Amino acid sequence: MKYRNDPNFLLEALAYLGRKASGKTWEYINERIRQRRIEAPASFRDTFSKLTDLTARIDSRLSYNMETLSGLFANLEGLPPNTIGSASPAFLLYYPRLEDYDSRLGPLADSVTQMSPESIACGIARTLDLTDDSSDMDHQTFISLILSQSFPESTKLAIMNIYGSYSRLAQEAAALLEPVMDVMEAEKESVYEILSSFQSVIKEMGCSRFLRSLSHLDPGADSPYLLRPFIFGMDTNLSTDGLHNEVCLYCGILRKELQDMLNIQSVSENSVYEAFHLLGDRTRFDILCYLRGRSAYGQELSSHFRLSRNTIHHHMSKLMDSGLVTCTISGNRVYYSLNKEAILELLDKQRDLFFQSQET
């Protein structure tokens, strides 16, 4: 496993514009921290302040038509909520090509407009986590797949419009992305200053230990990983199929500190309540039971429970965030397993909470 300290400016521009379009700005993040009454450590405040200042400088040099921005970079209705617009039209078109970006957006945007409809269909389906298959998808298969989802009708129509108008939309998105990337390039010194603390943590912990602590992901021995920082997705993790069979993991630079802050705030009673609330959903409880003694990947769970891949992804994200489930990437598949240590710890907390007073 390797760490590469340079960010992907295409991904950063997508996330920057996605936050703008979705209203998930730093003020929104800061307000959530205040509402939770979390005491942020000095290292977090320092990086967050530098990130806020960088954003302000980018904002001052750029202007947008908000209707155009929202149409291209806001999340589509009914898809899993996120802070970076990863369910937006622009993201659906450019996310499959992230690892093809080589510092020049123009040629990449042109290549997206020249892709076949079958390749675009596959990219959209994979970005929405509706398929594991990386081969081209014919028109009828794609349309049937989208219509079979539990998305709102307006979202189904929007996805089919993206598929039908991808050449125009890719160029329109590029016209907004490129100025952001140009400013970030001019601010490169500030960008690397923001990354300094994150890089120090990676060096101190090592990639494997850092990854396990951050995402409950257990690195598979046969899967090469490349870790890269994610600045404007500072609270987000994303993975892509990298070059040379690598799995590229983009790690939010403040996600671990946010996670640690929440863990410090959490007490035994709260963690037991949160677990009961999480498993009060019958589907999540049934998934946890299904994983006893086995690992399973998304399509397997989707077929077994007769739920869309999108719905399974939503449930697995919550189970992984709770720490009750871990995952391993093997090739293009993510395999989910029970985190037995976390479940035993939860059972101990329940025992202490409900029976300790009787035993003392």
Side-chain angles (χ1 to χ4, degrees):
M1 182 179 294
K2 300 176 293 184
Y3 174 67
R4 181 173 156 189
N5 195 48
D6 60 311
N8 184 321
F9 279 0
L10 172 56
L11 176 59
E12 299 296 349
L14 284 165
Y16 167 86
L17 293 172
R19 284 188 179 277
K20 290 288 179 190
S22 302
K24 307 302 184 183
T25 60
W26 304 135
E27 289 80 7
Y28 167 84
I29 299 293
N30 213 17
E31 182 58 30
R32 288 187 64 191
I33 292 173
R34 284 197 296 267
Q35 289 176 354
R36 298 288 294 266
R37 298 181 180 179
I38 298 172
E39 184 61 35
S43 59
F44 178 93
R45 294 196 302 270
D46 179 61
T47 300
F48 192 81
S49 176
K50 292 174 181 175
L51 186 50
T52 302
D53 290 344
L54 172 63
T55 303
R57 290 196 298 274
I58 297 175
D59 289 346
S60 70
R61 301 183 199 181
L62 302 172
S63 61
Y64 312 99
N65 177 295
M66 286 305 298
E67 183 178 355
T68 302
L69 181 68
S70 296
L72 288 167
F73 292 93
N75 292 312
L76 297 177
E77 180 188 0
L79 297 180
N82 62 82
T83 59
I84 60 167
S86 64
S88 69
F91 206 94
L92 294 181
L93 292 176
Y94 279 102
Y95 181 67
R97 303 295 302 277
L98 278 181
E99 303 312 312
D100 296 326
Y101 172 66
D102 64 354
S103 78
R104 298 175 302 157
L105 181 60
L108 179 61
D110 289 342
S111 72
V112 172
T113 65
Q114 294 164 14
M115 290 174 65
S116 69
E118 293 79 10
S119 295
I120 291 291
C122 175
I124 292 174
R126 283 172 61 82
T127 302
L128 290 171
D129 200 24
L130 302 180
T131 181
D132 288 322
D133 194 347
S134 59
S135 57
D136 288 354
M137 185 176 293
D138 66 71
H139 174 82
Q140 191 55 54
T141 300
F142 178 73
I143 297 300
S144 297
L145 179 64
I146 299 304
L147 292 178
S148 69
Q149 304 305 312
S150 57
F151 304 150
E153 290 303 314
S154 60
T155 295
K156 294 179 183 178
L157 289 172
I159 293 171
M160 288 188 280
N161 179 61
I162 296 166
Y163 167 63
S165 307
Y166 66 89
S167 294
R168 173 178 59 82
L169 293 173
Q171 291 294 346
E172 290 177 359
L176 294 182
L177 288 164
E178 195 156 27
V180 180
M181 297 163 73
D182 289 342
V183 177
M184 289 194 70
E185 187 68 36
E187 290 279 354
K188 187 172 282 189
E189 184 176 339
S190 298
V191 168
Y192 281 97
E193 185 180 353
I194 291 171
L195 292 177
S196 59
S197 295
F198 183 72
Q199 185 180 21
S200 297
V201 172
I202 296 286
K203 286 183 177 179
E204 179 182 345
M205 296 185 66
C207 291
S208 295
R209 183 173 156 223
F210 173 82
L211 191 55
R212 275 192 286 267
S213 71
L214 183 68
S215 62
H216 309 292
L217 177 64
D218 183 19
D222 59 346
S223 295
Y225 290 80
L226 174 65
L227 268 60
R228 296 183 69 178
F230 194 4
I231 299 173
F232 284 100
M234 59 86 148
D235 53 348
T236 305
N237 284 350
L238 288 176
S239 66
T240 66
D241 296 331
L243 303 175
H244 312 300
N245 296 319
E246 282 181 328
V247 177
C248 188
L249 300 170
Y250 291 94
C251 301
I253 60 171
L254 287 175
R255 184 177 172 90
K256 185 179 187 305
E257 289 197 71
L258 282 167
Q259 180 178 290
D260 290 345
M261 287 154 55
L262 290 172
N263 288 341
I264 290 172
Q265 182 199 44
S266 177
V267 297
S268 180
E269 184 174 333
N270 285 342
S271 62
V272 171
Y273 169 79
E274 292 295 336
F276 281 0
H277 180 71
L278 180 76
L279 297 177
D281 182 284
R282 185 57 194 245
T283 299
R284 287 195 283 269
F285 178 79
D286 288 345
I287 289 173
L288 212 62
C289 291
Y290 181 79
L291 292 175
R292 288 176 297 183
R294 61 154 66 89
S295 296
Y297 63 97
Q299 186 59 53
E300 178 183 346
L301 294 171
S302 178
S303 299
H304 179 80
F305 291 101
R306 297 184 178 179
L307 295 170
S308 71
R309 288 287 302 278
N310 187 56
T311 300
I312 289 294
H313 179 74
H314 171 72
H315 288 308
M316 299 316 296
S317 293
K318 288 186 174 295
L319 288 170
M320 287 183 61
D321 285 344
S322 74
L324 298 178
V325 167
T326 62
C327 69
T328 302
I329 296 178
S330 179
N332 290 327
R333 286 181 174 174
V334 176
Y335 287 88
Y336 301 100
S337 307
L338 292 182
N339 185 345
K340 295 180 180 179
E341 291 183 3
I343 292 174
L344 288 172
E345 181 181 345
L346 174 62
L347 293 174
D348 285 341
K349 288 179 179 178
Q350 293 179 38
R351 179 180 178 279
D352 290 343
L353 178 63
F354 294 115
F355 298 110
Q356 189 177 52
S357 60
Q358 298 177 13
E359 296 174 358
T360 57

